[in-house]
């Protein structure tokens, strides 16, 4: 490492020291998601691999291209090779199958057994990481291998590219276009198609053409469709009236389009599934009652469909028909009403209190319009999404998985990506209080200070975990949980930790912090926090919320 840094100044990878493995992987994850450029995390043998924790799950579910490298305990004892065991811990950390710790979450896992093909092994791993469905890869190597002396050699990097995006066949393109045009209530349900920023514009073009088409996001991991378009239905986790009423549904890059026990399409609805991962290989139980399904890149498929429509006279003539014009006008009316309903939620509460909607709208109005948001609001995500109303590709990122604590490191990675790749965008993290603790703030804010990576963090302090209560009520709406207090359910954080204080201590005091308990606090603190971040110092607001 030192040799490489000295000999390849400017060409050696930038290394960020992270005092916690989960934060390190979440940071690499955030950077990779925004840029589509793979990042690397180096950890210590089995224990460092275990320290990655839920971040491996998030990178896998969120399809983030990251390379994880871990050492192995030396495999020689008597000094037979350079690198033989020299410390007590080399025995303790020798496990039967270290790869098995994370292999089920990875697209590829392997052991580097000799330095003579190390470049081939790394490139092969990166091919898997960058080929759809993208995701984490894991390599291990023992110290004897790392100590091996080699004659320098080169690879032709052009021979190690990822798989090219897959396309729909011509028949599928024609069928999908025809089916959408014949629909009375066509609906697109998406989840992560916006990871490829080109797909956002192509989906807008389709909605502009197939007038009456609406778009529902049931994944929330990426900004897939802009909120200022009249076809926007917002983010709803698998439960929405549009699912029940649609006669044609195009499921596009989506893991959970609907939750069958809560909501499902009508029996005669035509369902088409287009996805880079249509069989969901990582999920033992998954199926959709789709009449047709295709493995295809979303941006490529949408381009094909749009091109077919524009070149087909019978379809393109229908675009300007009176029926389509009427549907377009109706969408404009319903979209305006939807925005009015959302705006009505962003009102202060009684006695100067505020809810999540008011808080989010206040933050949204204060930050730059092109701000990037790292969201981990759990049960409050829908309210946050409604108020942010993201319109730009890449503007909204969520982990896409269930491993809480992602957003702390991810926000740093996203901000670092904007600095390194150009743009220097403002980054705002909105996180629940329990999730904030999961994010290992002691590591997050130390890294933020050391490497000068300023982000704005808004902690939604509702004094506990709401997700367990909600889960219980979905199964037992009138059960014990419906009548129990948070203390009785053991999900209360009362008395509340000083979240802002935790962050400030971790940053060595070099952090703007505030605790907002009412709207007067909020109106004063939010502009100050934004200004601090713009001036190069991170900021954390501990916001006491009362309801949605």
């Amino acid at each position: 490492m030192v040799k490489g840094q000295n000999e390849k100044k400017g060409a050696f990878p930038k290394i960020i020291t992270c005092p916690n493995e989960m934060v390190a992987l979440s940071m690499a994850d955030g950077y990779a998601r925004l840029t589509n450029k793979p990042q690397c995390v180096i950890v210590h043998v089995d224990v460092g691999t275990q320290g990655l924790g839920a971040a491996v799950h998030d990178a896998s579910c969120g399809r983030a291209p990251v390379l994880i490298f871990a050492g192995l305990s030396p495999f020689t004892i008597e000094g037979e090779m350079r690198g033989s065991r020299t410390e007590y811990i080399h025995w303790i950390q020798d496990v039967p199958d270290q790869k098995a710790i994370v292999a089920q979450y990875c697209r590829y896992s392997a052991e580097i057994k000799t330095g003579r093909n190390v470049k081939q092994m790394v490139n092969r791993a990166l091919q898997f990481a960058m080929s759809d469905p993208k995701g984490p890869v894991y390599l291990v190597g023992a110290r004897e291998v790392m100590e091996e002396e080699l004659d320098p050699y080169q690879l032709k990097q052009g021979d190690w590219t990822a798989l090219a995006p897959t396309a729909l066949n011509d028949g599928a393109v024609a069928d999908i276009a025809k089916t959408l045009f014949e629909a009375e209530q066509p609906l697109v349900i998406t989840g992560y198609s916006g990871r490829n920023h080109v797909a956002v514009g192509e989906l807008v073009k389709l909605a502009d053409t197939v007038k009456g088409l609406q778009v529902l996001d049931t994944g929330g991991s990426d900004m897939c469709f802009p909120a200022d378009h009249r076809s926007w239905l917002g983010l709803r986790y698998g439960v929405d009236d549009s699912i029940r009423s649609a006669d044609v549904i195009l499921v596009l890059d989506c893991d959970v389009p609907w939750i069958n026990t809560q909501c499902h399409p009508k029996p005669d609805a035509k369902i088409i599934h287009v996805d880079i991962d249509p069989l969901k290989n990582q999920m033992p139980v998954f199926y959709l009652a789709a009449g047709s399904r295709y493995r295809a890149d979303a941006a490529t498929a949408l381009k094909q469909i749009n091109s077919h429509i524009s070149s087909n006279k019978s379809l393109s003539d229908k675009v300007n028909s009176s029926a389509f014009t009427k549907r377009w006008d109706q969408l404009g009316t319903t979209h305006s009403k939807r925005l009015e309903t959302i705006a009505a939620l962003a009102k202060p509460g009684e006695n100067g209190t505020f809810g999540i909607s008011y808080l989010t709208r206040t933050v949204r109005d204060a930050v730059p319009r092109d701000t990037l948001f790292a969201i981990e609001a759990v049960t409050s995500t829908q309210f946050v999404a409604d108020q942010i109303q993201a319109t730009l590709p890449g503007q909204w990122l969520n982990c896409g998985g269930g491993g809480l604590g992602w957003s702390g490191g991810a926000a740093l990675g996203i901000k670092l990506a904007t600095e390194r790749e150009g743009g220097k965008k403002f980054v705002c993290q909105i996180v629940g209080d329990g999730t904030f603790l999961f994010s290992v703030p002691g590591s997050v804010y130390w890294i933020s200070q050391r490497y000068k990576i300023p982000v704005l963090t808004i902690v939604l302090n509702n004094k506990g975990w709401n997700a367990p209560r909600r889960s219980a009520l979905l199964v037992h709406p009138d059960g014990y949980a419906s009548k129990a207090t948070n203390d009785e359910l053991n999900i209360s954080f009362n008395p509340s930790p000083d979240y802002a204080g935790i962050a400030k201590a971790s940053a060595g005091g070099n952090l703007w912090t505030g605790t907002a308990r009412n709207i007067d606090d909020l109106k004063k603190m939010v502009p100050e926090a934004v200004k601090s971040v713009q001036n190069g110092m991170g900021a954390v607001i501990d916001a006491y919320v009362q309801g949605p």
Side-chain angles (χ1 to χ4, degrees):
M1 188 181 297
V2 174
K3 186 175 187 290
Q5 290 175 141
N6 290 335
E7 294 181 357
K8 295 191 174 184
K9 296 184 185 299
F12 196 80
K14 172 67 175 177
I15 296 176
I16 304 292
T17 300
C18 299
N20 177 269
E21 293 90 349
M22 180 172 175
V23 175
L25 183 51
S26 298
M27 193 172 176
D29 177 320
Y31 194 115
R33 289 190 199 218
L34 184 65
T35 63
N36 198 36
K37 294 182 178 180
Q39 302 301 303
C40 180
V41 177
I42 302 173
V43 297
H44 180 61
V45 294
D46 65 322
V47 289
T49 300
Q50 292 170 325
L52 295 167
V56 181
H57 162 97
D58 291 334
S60 181
C61 293
R63 299 172 179 84
V66 290
L67 167 64
I68 304 164
F69 174 74
L72 288 173
S73 279
F75 54 77
T76 57
I77 296 178
E78 307 285 352
E80 301 96 320
M81 301 175 68
R82 188 166 65 192
S84 282
R85 296 182 182 182
T86 54
E87 299 176 60
Y88 166 88
I89 204 67
H90 290 157
W91 278 261
I92 306 304
Q93 293 174 343
D94 187 11
V95 295
D97 188 357
Q98 186 172 305
K99 298 194 303 298
I101 299 171
V102 295
Q104 66 179 322
Y105 297 100
C106 294
R107 306 300 181 262
Y108 174 77
S109 61
E111 179 181 349
I112 299 171
K113 297 182 178 180
T114 173
R116 288 176 172 78
N117 70 346
V118 63
K119 293 185 179 183
Q120 289 89 336
M121 294 294 290
V122 170
N123 274 280
R124 176 166 167 75
L126 288 173
Q127 280 184 311
F128 276 96
M130 289 298 293
S131 295
D132 288 324
K134 297 181 178 70
V137 293
Y138 183 71
L139 291 176
V140 296
R143 191 163 69 172
E144 291 91 337
V145 177
M146 299 301 106
E147 288 284 349
E148 186 177 349
E149 292 189 9
L150 301 174
D151 292 327
Y153 73 100
Q154 300 293 326
L155 292 183
K156 186 179 178 182
Q157 287 300 128
D159 293 342
W160 293 89
T161 57
L163 295 179
T166 51
L168 295 169
N169 64 63
D170 292 342
V173 173
D175 287 345
I176 293 171
K178 182 174 181 290
T179 302
L180 290 175
F181 265 83
E182 292 176 346
E184 293 295 326
Q185 291 183 269
L187 175 67
V188 171
I189 302 179
T190 188
Y192 54 91
S193 60
R195 180 68 55 81
N196 184 341
H197 296 176
V198 175
V200 177
E202 291 297 329
L203 187 51
V204 167
K205 185 176 181 180
L206 183 65
D208 287 342
T209 305
V210 185
K211 295 181 172 67
L213 176 74
Q214 292 184 291
V215 181
L216 177 68
D217 185 348
T218 66
S221 62
D222 298 270
M223 199 295 283
C224 298
F225 195 77
D228 56 1
H229 194 286
R230 64 182 65 195
S231 295
W232 177 76
L233 290 173
L235 167 62
R236 301 292 184 269
Y237 282 122
V239 180
D240 192 71
D241 287 340
S242 63
I243 299 171
R244 301 183 180 98
S245 61
D247 59 338
V248 170
I249 299 177
L250 171 59
V251 178
L252 183 69
D253 275 359
C254 186
D255 288 328
V256 189
W258 51 82
I259 300 170
N260 297 69
T261 57
Q262 308 297 316
C263 173
H264 54 78
K266 54 188 182 182
D268 59 346
K270 294 182 179 180
I271 299 168
I272 304 165
H273 187 194
V274 178
D275 204 311
I276 58 170
D277 186 19
L279 296 180
K280 309 301 175 187
N281 295 339
Q282 299 291 106
M283 300 180 187
V285 180
F286 174 89
Y287 50 86
L288 287 181
S292 54
R293 54 183 54 83
Y294 309 94
R295 186 187 300 276
D297 170 71
T300 303
L302 290 169
K303 283 182 181 179
Q304 291 179 281
I305 295 167
N306 286 328
S307 178
H308 176 81
I309 292 170
S310 63
S311 63
N312 186 300
K313 190 175 187 304
S314 64
L315 295 181
S316 56
D317 285 348
K318 193 172 182 179
V319 171
N320 298 316
S321 67
S322 59
F324 267 40
T325 300
K326 182 179 179 181
R327 292 191 341 187
W328 187 251
D329 293 340
Q330 289 174 339
L331 283 186
T333 301
T334 56
H335 182 254
S336 296
K337 290 181 179 178
R338 182 172 295 106
L339 295 181
E340 290 173 4
T341 301
I342 290 171
L345 289 174
K347 303 294 183 184
E350 297 178 359
N351 303 320
T353 61
F354 57 86
I356 289 168
S357 295
Y358 180 85
L359 166 64
T360 307
R361 180 58 64 95
T362 300
V363 172
R364 185 69 186 95
D365 290 343
V367 299
R369 298 311 297 172
D370 61 350
T371 292
L372 305 183
F373 293 91
I375 305 299
E376 202 169 20
V378 197
T379 55
S380 302
T381 301
Q382 172 184 317
F383 300 106
V384 173
D386 279 351
Q387 299 301 330
I388 286 179
Q389 295 175 23
T391 59
L392 304 174
Q395 187 168 32
W396 165 288
L397 294 100
N398 193 320
C399 73
L404 299 183
W406 168 86
S407 61
L412 297 182
I414 293 166
K415 176 62 177 176
L416 187 63
T418 71
E419 299 283 340
R420 300 270 169 172
E421 305 293 332
K424 295 188 176 182
K425 299 286 182 68
F426 191 99
V427 174
C428 176
Q429 173 198 9
I430 300 180
V431 59
D433 50 2
T435 306
F436 178 81
L437 293 176
F438 283 138
S439 73
V440 197
S443 179
V444 168
Y445 294 98
W446 178 85
I447 296 168
S448 174
Q449 164 58 20
R450 172 167 175 174
Y451 295 99
K452 308 303 178 189
I453 311 174
V455 300
L456 170 62
T457 298
I458 307 296
V459 181
L460 307 177
N461 188 337
N462 57 12
K463 298 183 180 180
W465 288 313
N466 276 343
R469 175 186 292 278
R470 182 176 181 275
S471 296
L473 294 180
L474 285 171
V475 180
H476 303 287
D478 300 315
Y480 290 112
S482 67
K483 305 174 184 65
T485 66
N486 280 1
D487 283 327
E488 290 171 329
L489 291 174
N490 298 299
I491 58 174
S492 171
F493 289 169
N494 192 30
S496 175
D498 180 3
Y499 299 112
I502 292 170
K504 190 160 191 170
S506 304
N510 297 304
L511 190 73
W512 187 100
T513 59
T515 299
R517 300 176 184 274
N518 53 58
I519 58 173
D520 291 334
D521 291 341
L522 204 61
K523 289 178 180 178
K524 176 179 180 294
M525 291 178 180
V526 170
E528 292 179 3
V530 171
K531 185 177 180 180
S532 176
V533 173
Q534 290 174 325
N535 289 337
M537 178 181 285
V540 176
I541 296 179
D542 181 357
Y544 279 66
V545 293
Q546 303 291 331

